[in-house]
Amino acid sequence: MFLEGKLCRLRAVEPADVDAMYLWENDMEIWRVSNTVAPYSRYALEQLVESMRCDIYASRQLRLIIETTGVGRPEVAEPGDGDGYVRTGDFMAGVAIGAVDIFEFDPLNSRAGIGILVYDEADRGRGYAADALCVAERYARETLHLHQLWSNVGADNSRSLALFEGAGYRRVGVKADWVRRADGYVDEVLLQKIL
């Protein structure tokens, strides 16, 4: 599979992902970094999944689900419990742990924005986001023929800044007092990578 990484794979959104997306999109802790201000209904997410069947050239966005391959994630369910997951040794494969969003796709200028979510704190810091970013970049370069990707990251989000900078993204701008938080305003950092 082309969208296969070392630790995870990226796949198309399926109707079965609505439950996980409902949890992710309605978690107010995530709203902090996604600039979301209102909850999503299950119906709206079902419509989003349906719209993801469209070509990225028509919708100008694409969500890919980050799914484990069985490397680096401890098994979280008992073998033989009928959950449909494929087990590899002591690790479980086929678990949706987050998403990669490619948005504001601009084929004329060969660029797009990119954002990553690894939802569960237990799955963070294990290399999934870095692996997913690498796979998404390969897809953007080789399939979408993009010249560059960019991301906006809150200056207080040290993990995301480290992720993108570790992958070769450069800070190309700072928007002062750009995002309002409960305790005041924070800057937003614009990062860019020429592919």
Side-chain angles (χ1 to χ4, degrees):
M1 174 188 268
F2 178 74
L3 298 178
E4 192 85 22
K6 294 177 182 174
L7 301 174
C8 65
R9 69 180 57 93
L10 303 183
R11 64 166 174 78
V13 175
E14 300 285 347
D17 296 318
V18 169
D19 289 338
M21 290 170 47
Y22 185 76
L23 176 68
W24 302 340
E25 297 292 352
N26 289 302
D27 185 333
M28 293 179 75
E29 288 297 313
I30 303 302
W31 289 7
R32 235 180 110 251
V33 296
S34 66
N35 294 324
T36 301
V37 295
Y40 278 84
S41 69
R42 187 172 301 284
Y43 176 77
L45 291 170
E46 289 168 352
Q47 295 301 307
L48 177 66
V49 168
E50 184 63 30
S51 76
M52 291 295 167
R53 297 174 127 182
C54 297
D55 187 340
I56 188 172
Y57 288 90
S59 66
R60 301 290 193 233
Q61 66 180 355
L62 175 66
R63 172 165 284 182
L64 297 167
I65 297 298
I66 303 170
E67 186 176 84
T68 59
T69 59
V71 177
R73 187 176 204 272
E75 188 172 332
V76 293
E78 291 299 317
D81 64 3
D83 60 7
Y85 295 125
V86 177
R87 285 167 174 75
T88 308
D90 293 329
F91 297 95
M92 189 161 59
V95 178
I97 60 168
V100 172
D101 287 327
I102 297 174
F103 55 92
E104 293 184 31
F105 174 63
D106 181 350
L108 177 65
N109 294 297
S110 302
R111 67 177 175 235
I114 189 164
I116 295 183
L117 168 70
V118 173
Y119 180 72
D120 193 327
E121 185 67 39
D123 289 324
R124 296 180 191 163
R126 294 177 174 262
Y128 293 121
D131 193 43
L133 182 56
C134 181
V135 173
E137 287 173 359
R138 187 175 68 222
Y139 172 75
R141 183 178 55 254
E142 295 176 9
T143 302
L144 299 177
H145 305 289
L146 294 183
H147 176 64
Q148 62 183 288
L149 289 170
W150 57 268
S151 186
N152 290 317
V153 178
D156 59 345
N157 190 340
S158 59
R159 287 176 114 170
S160 286
L161 289 171
L163 168 70
F164 283 102
E165 289 176 324
Y169 287 71
R170 287 185 322 110
R171 292 181 189 219
V172 295
V174 175
K175 297 177 248 179
D177 288 348
W178 198 255
V179 180
R180 186 171 156 181
R181 302 268 195 255
D183 56 346
Y185 288 87
V186 297
D187 296 347
E188 186 172 78
V189 178
L190 173 60
L191 300 118
Q192 176 187 35
K193 183 175 184 178
I194 304 299
L195 301 173

